[in-house]
PDB file of all heavy atoms in Angstrom:
ATOM      1  N   CYS L 396     -35.720  48.454 -77.038  1.00  0.00           N
ATOM      2  CA  CYS L 396     -35.115  47.425 -76.091  1.00  0.00           C
ATOM      3  C   CYS L 396     -33.687  47.770 -75.746  1.00  0.00           C
ATOM      4  O   CYS L 396     -32.911  48.043 -76.650  1.00  0.00           O
ATOM      5  CB  CYS L 396     -35.182  46.066 -76.793  1.00  0.00           C
ATOM      6  SG  CYS L 396     -34.593  44.700 -75.869  1.00  0.00           S
ATOM      7  N   ILE L 397     -33.529  47.721 -74.395  1.00  0.00           N
ATOM      8  CA  ILE L 397     -32.196  48.272 -73.949  1.00  0.00           C
ATOM      9  C   ILE L 397     -31.242  46.996 -73.367  1.00  0.00           C
ATOM     10  O   ILE L 397     -30.274  47.232 -73.072  1.00  0.00           O
ATOM     11  CB  ILE L 397     -32.277  49.343 -72.818  1.00  0.00           C
ATOM     12  CG1 ILE L 397     -33.320  48.706 -71.700  1.00  0.00           C
ATOM     13  CG2 ILE L 397     -32.931  50.577 -73.422  1.00  0.00           C
ATOM     14  CD1 ILE L 397     -33.218  49.749 -70.618  1.00  0.00           C
ATOM     15  N   GLY L 398     -31.880  45.828 -73.332  1.00  0.00           N
ATOM     16  CA  GLY L 398     -31.070  44.749 -72.835  1.00  0.00           C
ATOM     17  C   GLY L 398     -31.839  43.570 -72.616  1.00  0.00           C
ATOM     18  O   GLY L 398     -33.112  43.390 -72.884  1.00  0.00           O
ATOM     19  N   ALA L 399     -31.229  42.445 -72.031  1.00  0.00           N
ATOM     20  CA  ALA L 399     -31.829  41.193 -71.676  1.00  0.00           C
ATOM     21  C   ALA L 399     -31.629  40.749 -70.272  1.00  0.00           C
ATOM     22  O   ALA L 399     -30.489  41.225 -69.758  1.00  0.00           O
ATOM     23  CB  ALA L 399     -31.420  40.136 -72.607  1.00  0.00           C
ATOM     24  N   ILE L 400     -32.555  40.162 -69.617  1.00  0.00           N
ATOM     25  CA  ILE L 400     -32.351  39.740 -68.207  1.00  0.00           C
ATOM     26  C   ILE L 400     -32.485  38.327 -68.116  1.00  0.00           C
ATOM     27  O   ILE L 400     -33.199  37.675 -68.884  1.00  0.00           O
ATOM     28  CB  ILE L 400     -33.246  40.450 -67.282  1.00  0.00           C
ATOM     29  CG1 ILE L 400     -34.738  40.132 -67.429  1.00  0.00           C
ATOM     30  CG2 ILE L 400     -33.006  42.016 -67.361  1.00  0.00           C
ATOM     31  CD1 ILE L 400     -35.616  40.386 -66.379  1.00  0.00           C
ATOM     32  N   ASP L 401     -31.896  37.713 -67.021  1.00  0.00           N
ATOM     33  CA  ASP L 401     -32.106  36.312 -66.631  1.00  0.00           C
ATOM     34  C   ASP L 401     -31.275  36.073 -65.378  1.00  0.00           C
ATOM     35  O   ASP L 401     -30.597  36.979 -64.772  1.00  0.00           O
ATOM     36  CB  ASP L 401     -31.540  35.426 -67.820  1.00  0.00           C
ATOM     37  CG  ASP L 401     -32.169  33.962 -67.732  1.00  0.00           C
ATOM     38  OD1 ASP L 401     -33.084  33.715 -66.874  1.00  0.00           O
ATOM     39  OD2 ASP L 401     -31.901  33.067 -68.534  1.00  0.00           O
ATOM     40  N   GLY L 402     -31.630  34.904 -64.903  1.00  0.00           N
ATOM     41  CA  GLY L 402     -30.888  34.527 -63.669  1.00  0.00           C
ATOM     42  C   GLY L 402     -29.970  33.237 -64.005  1.00  0.00           C
ATOM     43  O   GLY L 402     -30.198  32.556 -64.776  1.00  0.00           O
ATOM     44  N   THR L 403     -28.944  33.216 -63.154  1.00  0.00           N
ATOM     45  CA  THR L 403     -28.110  31.876 -63.304  1.00  0.00           C
ATOM     46  C   THR L 403     -27.780  31.407 -61.810  1.00  0.00           C
ATOM     47  O   THR L 403     -27.774  32.216 -60.965  1.00  0.00           O
ATOM     48  CB  THR L 403     -26.701  32.171 -64.027  1.00  0.00           C
ATOM     49  OG1 THR L 403     -26.054  31.127 -64.288  1.00  0.00           O
ATOM     50  CG2 THR L 403     -25.956  33.078 -63.206  1.00  0.00           C
ATOM     51  N   HIS L 404     -27.464  30.126 -61.734  1.00  0.00           N
ATOM     52  CA  HIS L 404     -27.176  29.490 -60.352  1.00  0.00           C
ATOM     53  C   HIS L 404     -25.848  29.278 -60.297  1.00  0.00           C
ATOM     54  O   HIS L 404     -25.093  28.724 -61.284  1.00  0.00           O
ATOM     55  CB  HIS L 404     -28.102  28.182 -60.355  1.00  0.00           C
ATOM     56  CG  HIS L 404     -29.556  28.522 -60.216  1.00  0.00           C
ATOM     57  ND1 HIS L 404     -30.171  28.583 -58.889  1.00  0.00           N
ATOM     58  CD2 HIS L 404     -30.592  28.847 -61.123  1.00  0.00           C
ATOM     59  CE1 HIS L 404     -31.408  28.825 -58.986  1.00  0.00           C
ATOM     60  NE2 HIS L 404     -31.823  29.101 -60.356  1.00  0.00           N
ATOM     61  N   ILE L 405     -25.264  29.608 -59.078  1.00  0.00           N
ATOM     62  CA  ILE L 405     -23.822  29.377 -58.709  1.00  0.00           C
ATOM     63  C   ILE L 405     -23.912  28.509 -57.508  1.00  0.00           C
ATOM     64  O   ILE L 405     -24.555  28.771 -56.537  1.00  0.00           O
ATOM     65  CB  ILE L 405     -23.121  30.599 -58.299  1.00  0.00           C
ATOM     66  CG1 ILE L 405     -23.162  31.721 -59.518  1.00  0.00           C
ATOM     67  CG2 ILE L 405     -21.703  30.375 -57.981  1.00  0.00           C
ATOM     68  CD1 ILE L 405     -22.480  31.187 -60.775  1.00  0.00           C
ATOM     69  N   ARG L 406     -23.171  27.440 -57.605  1.00  0.00           N
ATOM     70  CA  ARG L 406     -23.198  26.479 -56.537  1.00  0.00           C
ATOM     71  C   ARG L 406     -22.538  27.123 -55.243  1.00  0.00           C
ATOM     72  O   ARG L 406     -21.443  27.705 -55.294  1.00  0.00           O
ATOM     73  CB  ARG L 406     -22.334  25.254 -56.893  1.00  0.00           C
ATOM     74  CG  ARG L 406     -22.539  24.132 -55.879  1.00  0.00           C
ATOM     75  CD  ARG L 406     -22.154  22.729 -56.340  1.00  0.00           C
ATOM     76  NE  ARG L 406     -22.375  21.611 -55.508  1.00  0.00           N
ATOM     77  CZ  ARG L 406     -22.320  20.384 -55.824  1.00  0.00           C
ATOM     78  NH1 ARG L 406     -21.960  20.061 -57.039  1.00  0.00           N
ATOM     79  NH2 ARG L 406     -22.529  19.462 -55.052  1.00  0.00           N
ATOM     80  N   VAL L 407     -23.041  26.912 -54.038  1.00  0.00           N
ATOM     81  CA  VAL L 407     -22.499  27.445 -52.846  1.00  0.00           C
ATOM     82  C   VAL L 407     -22.543  26.364 -51.693  1.00  0.00           C
ATOM     83  O   VAL L 407     -23.281  25.359 -51.831  1.00  0.00           O
ATOM     84  CB  VAL L 407     -23.287  28.656 -52.353  1.00  0.00           C
ATOM     85  CG1 VAL L 407     -23.145  29.853 -53.252  1.00  0.00           C
ATOM     86  CG2 VAL L 407     -24.852  28.307 -52.140  1.00  0.00           C
ATOM     87  N   LYS L 408     -21.851  26.649 -50.646  1.00  0.00           N
ATOM     88  CA  LYS L 408     -21.794  25.741 -49.519  1.00  0.00           C
ATOM     89  C   LYS L 408     -22.528  26.505 -48.352  1.00  0.00           C
ATOM     90  O   LYS L 408     -21.973  27.594 -48.006  1.00  0.00           O
ATOM     91  CB  LYS L 408     -20.469  25.274 -49.096  1.00  0.00           C
ATOM     92  CG  LYS L 408     -20.382  24.337 -48.007  1.00  0.00           C
ATOM     93  CD  LYS L 408     -18.824  23.835 -47.719  1.00  0.00           C
ATOM     94  CE  LYS L 408     -18.815  22.971 -46.471  1.00  0.00           C
ATOM     95  NZ  LYS L 408     -17.466  22.549 -46.268  1.00  0.00           N
ATOM     96  N   VAL L 409     -23.573  25.871 -47.752  1.00  0.00           N
ATOM     97  CA  VAL L 409     -24.209  26.575 -46.537  1.00  0.00           C
ATOM     98  C   VAL L 409     -24.400  25.583 -45.529  1.00  0.00           C
ATOM     99  O   VAL L 409     -24.057  24.473 -45.620  1.00  0.00           O
ATOM    100  CB  VAL L 409     -25.564  27.105 -47.027  1.00  0.00           C
ATOM    101  CG1 VAL L 409     -25.435  28.300 -48.171  1.00  0.00           C
ATOM    102  CG2 VAL L 409     -26.472  25.922 -47.582  1.00  0.00           C
ATOM    103  N   SER L 410     -24.810  26.099 -44.409  1.00  0.00           N
ATOM    104  CA  SER L 410     -25.061  25.336 -43.192  1.00  0.00           C
ATOM    105  C   SER L 410     -26.276  24.399 -43.396  1.00  0.00           C
ATOM    106  O   SER L 410     -27.056  24.661 -44.263  1.00  0.00           O
ATOM    107  CB  SER L 410     -25.277  26.141 -41.988  1.00  0.00           C
ATOM    108  OG  SER L 410     -26.452  26.912 -42.111  1.00  0.00           O
ATOM    109  N   LYS L 411     -26.247  23.387 -42.659  1.00  0.00           N
ATOM    110  CA  LYS L 411     -27.583  22.449 -42.804  1.00  0.00           C
ATOM    111  C   LYS L 411     -28.791  23.102 -42.618  1.00  0.00           C
ATOM    112  O   LYS L 411     -29.741  22.721 -43.284  1.00  0.00           O
ATOM    113  CB  LYS L 411     -27.249  21.268 -41.828  1.00  0.00           C
ATOM    114  CG  LYS L 411     -26.079  20.338 -42.056  1.00  0.00           C
ATOM    115  CD  LYS L 411     -26.021  19.185 -40.942  1.00  0.00           C
ATOM    116  CE  LYS L 411     -24.774  18.212 -41.236  1.00  0.00           C
ATOM    117  NZ  LYS L 411     -24.768  17.181 -40.187  1.00  0.00           N
ATOM    118  N   GLU L 412     -28.807  24.044 -41.837  1.00  0.00           N
ATOM    119  CA  GLU L 412     -30.167  24.801 -41.640  1.00  0.00           C
ATOM    120  C   GLU L 412     -30.615  25.524 -42.698  1.00  0.00           C
ATOM    121  O   GLU L 412     -31.786  25.838 -42.938  1.00  0.00           O
ATOM    122  CB  GLU L 412     -29.930  25.750 -40.357  1.00  0.00           C
ATOM    123  CG  GLU L 412     -29.748  25.103 -38.942  1.00  0.00           C
ATOM    124  CD  GLU L 412     -28.213  24.579 -38.897  1.00  0.00           C
ATOM    125  OE1 GLU L 412     -27.445  24.980 -39.751  1.00  0.00           O
ATOM    126  OE2 GLU L 412     -28.062  23.757 -37.906  1.00  0.00           O
ATOM    127  N   ASP L 413     -29.659  25.946 -43.660  1.00  0.00           N
ATOM    128  CA  ASP L 413     -29.988  26.802 -44.835  1.00  0.00           C
ATOM    129  C   ASP L 413     -30.038  26.033 -46.093  1.00  0.00           C
ATOM    130  O   ASP L 413     -30.447  26.647 -47.192  1.00  0.00           O
ATOM    131  CB  ASP L 413     -28.939  27.844 -44.978  1.00  0.00           C
ATOM    132  CG  ASP L 413     -28.938  28.908 -43.823  1.00  0.00           C
ATOM    133  OD1 ASP L 413     -30.073  29.047 -43.298  1.00  0.00           O
ATOM    134  OD2 ASP L 413     -27.796  29.521 -43.518  1.00  0.00           O
ATOM    135  N   VAL L 414     -29.738  24.681 -46.140  1.00  0.00           N
ATOM    136  CA  VAL L 414     -29.743  23.924 -47.298  1.00  0.00           C
ATOM    137  C   VAL L 414     -31.130  24.015 -48.025  1.00  0.00           C
ATOM    138  O   VAL L 414     -31.096  24.261 -49.246  1.00  0.00           O
ATOM    139  CB  VAL L 414     -29.333  22.448 -46.934  1.00  0.00           C
ATOM    140  CG1 VAL L 414     -29.625  21.516 -48.283  1.00  0.00           C
ATOM    141  CG2 VAL L 414     -27.789  22.460 -46.729  1.00  0.00           C
ATOM    142  N   SER L 415     -32.131  23.818 -47.357  1.00  0.00           N
ATOM    143  CA  SER L 415     -33.506  23.793 -47.881  1.00  0.00           C
ATOM    144  C   SER L 415     -33.799  25.096 -48.705  1.00  0.00           C
ATOM    145  O   SER L 415     -34.525  25.122 -49.797  1.00  0.00           O
ATOM    146  CB  SER L 415     -34.467  23.488 -46.965  1.00  0.00           C
ATOM    147  OG  SER L 415     -34.541  24.441 -45.935  1.00  0.00           O
ATOM    148  N   ARG L 416     -33.363  26.184 -48.123  1.00  0.00           N
ATOM    149  CA  ARG L 416     -33.551  27.553 -48.800  1.00  0.00           C
ATOM    150  C   ARG L 416     -32.783  27.688 -50.058  1.00  0.00           C
ATOM    151  O   ARG L 416     -33.246  28.334 -50.994  1.00  0.00           O
ATOM    152  CB  ARG L 416     -33.299  28.634 -47.784  1.00  0.00           C
ATOM    153  CG  ARG L 416     -34.232  28.828 -46.613  1.00  0.00           C
ATOM    154  CD  ARG L 416     -34.143  30.114 -45.942  1.00  0.00           C
ATOM    155  NE  ARG L 416     -32.813  30.288 -45.457  1.00  0.00           N
ATOM    156  CZ  ARG L 416     -31.989  31.396 -45.859  1.00  0.00           C
ATOM    157  NH1 ARG L 416     -32.380  32.143 -46.954  1.00  0.00           N
ATOM    158  NH2 ARG L 416     -30.985  31.558 -45.361  1.00  0.00           N
ATOM    159  N   TYR L 417     -31.637  27.190 -50.074  1.00  0.00           N
ATOM    160  CA  TYR L 417     -30.634  27.493 -51.176  1.00  0.00           C
ATOM    161  C   TYR L 417     -30.732  26.245 -52.276  1.00  0.00           C
ATOM    162  O   TYR L 417     -30.239  26.444 -53.317  1.00  0.00           O
ATOM    163  CB  TYR L 417     -29.197  27.491 -50.680  1.00  0.00           C
ATOM    164  CG  TYR L 417     -28.872  28.895 -50.107  1.00  0.00           C
ATOM    165  CD1 TYR L 417     -29.167  29.192 -48.819  1.00  0.00           C
ATOM    166  CD2 TYR L 417     -28.348  29.840 -50.913  1.00  0.00           C
ATOM    167  CE1 TYR L 417     -28.908  30.397 -48.230  1.00  0.00           C
ATOM    168  CE2 TYR L 417     -28.026  31.014 -50.398  1.00  0.00           C
ATOM    169  CZ  TYR L 417     -28.263  31.322 -49.098  1.00  0.00           C
ATOM    170  OH  TYR L 417     -28.027  32.586 -48.646  1.00  0.00           O
ATOM    171  N   ARG L 418     -31.658  25.271 -52.017  1.00  0.00           N
ATOM    172  CA  ARG L 418     -31.741  24.232 -53.003  1.00  0.00           C
ATOM    173  C   ARG L 418     -32.957  24.441 -53.626  1.00  0.00           C
ATOM    174  O   ARG L 418     -34.103  24.336 -53.313  1.00  0.00           O
ATOM    175  CB  ARG L 418     -31.815  22.722 -52.224  1.00  0.00           C
ATOM    176  CG  ARG L 418     -31.920  21.717 -53.360  1.00  0.00           C
ATOM    177  CD  ARG L 418     -32.019  20.373 -52.666  1.00  0.00           C
ATOM    178  NE  ARG L 418     -30.896  19.880 -52.007  1.00  0.00           N
ATOM    179  CZ  ARG L 418     -30.846  19.428 -50.744  1.00  0.00           C
ATOM    180  NH1 ARG L 418     -32.022  19.529 -49.968  1.00  0.00           N
ATOM    181  NH2 ARG L 418     -29.715  19.097 -50.138  1.00  0.00           N
ATOM    182  N   GLY L 419     -32.883  24.768 -55.036  1.00  0.00           N
ATOM    183  CA  GLY L 419     -33.956  25.033 -55.864  1.00  0.00           C
ATOM    184  C   GLY L 419     -34.228  23.928 -56.689  1.00  0.00           C
ATOM    185  O   GLY L 419     -34.522  22.645 -56.317  1.00  0.00           O
ATOM    186  N   ARG L 420     -34.116  24.164 -58.127  1.00  0.00           N
ATOM    187  CA  ARG L 420     -34.270  23.099 -59.053  1.00  0.00           C
ATOM    188  C   ARG L 420     -33.086  22.071 -59.042  1.00  0.00           C
ATOM    189  O   ARG L 420     -33.161  21.063 -59.690  1.00  0.00           O
ATOM    190  CB  ARG L 420     -34.484  23.570 -60.522  1.00  0.00           C
ATOM    191  CG  ARG L 420     -35.886  24.400 -60.663  1.00  0.00           C
ATOM    192  CD  ARG L 420     -35.962  24.967 -61.992  1.00  0.00           C
ATOM    193  NE  ARG L 420     -34.939  26.052 -62.178  1.00  0.00           N
ATOM    194  CZ  ARG L 420     -34.838  26.660 -63.353  1.00  0.00           C
ATOM    195  NH1 ARG L 420     -35.553  26.355 -64.453  1.00  0.00           N
ATOM    196  NH2 ARG L 420     -33.748  27.516 -63.562  1.00  0.00           N
ATOM    197  N   LYS L 421     -31.962  22.497 -58.603  1.00  0.00           N
ATOM    198  CA  LYS L 421     -30.731  21.689 -58.569  1.00  0.00           C
ATOM    199  C   LYS L 421     -30.849  20.768 -57.353  1.00  0.00           C
ATOM    200  O   LYS L 421     -31.645  21.014 -56.429  1.00  0.00           O
ATOM    201  CB  LYS L 421     -29.555  22.572 -58.493  1.00  0.00           C
ATOM    202  CG  LYS L 421     -29.482  23.651 -59.565  1.00  0.00           C
ATOM    203  CD  LYS L 421     -29.303  23.103 -60.906  1.00  0.00           C
ATOM    204  CE  LYS L 421     -29.020  24.231 -61.859  1.00  0.00           C
ATOM    205  NZ  LYS L 421     -28.762  23.737 -63.225  1.00  0.00           N
ATOM    206  N   ASN L 422     -29.977  19.775 -57.330  1.00  0.00           N
ATOM    207  CA  ASN L 422     -29.960  18.801 -56.288  1.00  0.00           C
ATOM    208  C   ASN L 422     -29.046  19.167 -55.245  1.00  0.00           C
ATOM    209  O   ASN L 422     -28.713  18.476 -54.229  1.00  0.00           O
ATOM    210  CB  ASN L 422     -29.578  17.378 -56.747  1.00  0.00           C
ATOM    211  CG  ASN L 422     -30.685  16.708 -57.657  1.00  0.00           C
ATOM    212  OD1 ASN L 422     -31.920  16.905 -57.324  1.00  0.00           O
ATOM    213  ND2 ASN L 422     -30.297  16.161 -58.680  1.00  0.00           N
ATOM    214  N   TYR L 423     -28.500  20.443 -55.298  1.00  0.00           N
ATOM    215  CA  TYR L 423     -27.551  20.928 -54.387  1.00  0.00           C
ATOM    216  C   TYR L 423     -27.743  22.324 -54.205  1.00  0.00           C
ATOM    217  O   TYR L 423     -28.424  23.153 -55.052  1.00  0.00           O
ATOM    218  CB  TYR L 423     -26.028  20.779 -54.896  1.00  0.00           C
ATOM    219  CG  TYR L 423     -25.915  21.101 -56.418  1.00  0.00           C
ATOM    220  CD1 TYR L 423     -25.629  22.495 -56.719  1.00  0.00           C
ATOM    221  CD2 TYR L 423     -25.950  20.208 -57.411  1.00  0.00           C
ATOM    222  CE1 TYR L 423     -25.509  22.912 -57.981  1.00  0.00           C
ATOM    223  CE2 TYR L 423     -25.717  20.596 -58.760  1.00  0.00           C
ATOM    224  CZ  TYR L 423     -25.590  21.874 -59.035  1.00  0.00           C
ATOM    225  OH  TYR L 423     -25.419  22.241 -60.321  1.00  0.00           O
ATOM    226  N   PRO L 424     -27.251  22.991 -53.156  1.00  0.00           N
ATOM    227  CA  PRO L 424     -27.480  24.347 -52.824  1.00  0.00           C
ATOM    228  C   PRO L 424     -26.818  25.221 -53.809  1.00  0.00           C
ATOM    229  O   PRO L 424     -25.745  25.138 -54.221  1.00  0.00           O
ATOM    230  CB  PRO L 424     -26.943  24.681 -51.512  1.00  0.00           C
ATOM    231  CG  PRO L 424     -26.775  23.248 -50.877  1.00  0.00           C
ATOM    232  CD  PRO L 424     -26.395  22.332 -51.993  1.00  0.00           C
ATOM    233  N   THR L 425     -27.683  26.326 -54.241  1.00  0.00           N
ATOM    234  CA  THR L 425     -27.197  27.183 -55.203  1.00  0.00           C
ATOM    235  C   THR L 425     -27.532  28.741 -54.808  1.00  0.00           C
ATOM    236  O   THR L 425     -28.396  28.810 -54.046  1.00  0.00           O
ATOM    237  CB  THR L 425     -27.532  27.083 -56.706  1.00  0.00           C
ATOM    238  OG1 THR L 425     -29.032  27.193 -56.610  1.00  0.00           O
ATOM    239  CG2 THR L 425     -27.211  25.717 -57.101  1.00  0.00           C
ATOM    240  N   MET L 426     -26.853  29.621 -55.229  1.00  0.00           N
ATOM    241  CA  MET L 426     -27.251  31.043 -55.133  1.00  0.00           C
ATOM    242  C   MET L 426     -27.716  31.512 -56.602  1.00  0.00           C
ATOM    243  O   MET L 426     -27.315  31.201 -57.625  1.00  0.00           O
ATOM    244  CB  MET L 426     -25.951  31.861 -54.895  1.00  0.00           C
ATOM    245  CG  MET L 426     -26.186  33.369 -54.940  1.00  0.00           C
ATOM    246  SD  MET L 426     -24.550  34.424 -54.656  1.00  0.00           S
ATOM    247  CE  MET L 426     -24.307  33.923 -53.083  1.00  0.00           C
TER     248      MET L 426
END
Side-chain angles (χ1 to χ4, degrees):
C396 182
I397 56 175
I400 69 164
D401 202 0
T403 190
H404 287 260
I405 303 294
R406 189 166 186 169
V407 293
K408 183 179 182 180
V409 296
S410 64
K411 292 182 179 180
E412 294 77 14
D413 292 331
V414 166
S415 60
R416 290 195 302 115
Y417 280 86
R418 182 185 290 130
R420 293 178 296 175
K421 308 290 185 180
N422 293 323
Y423 46 82
T425 64
M426 174 185 292

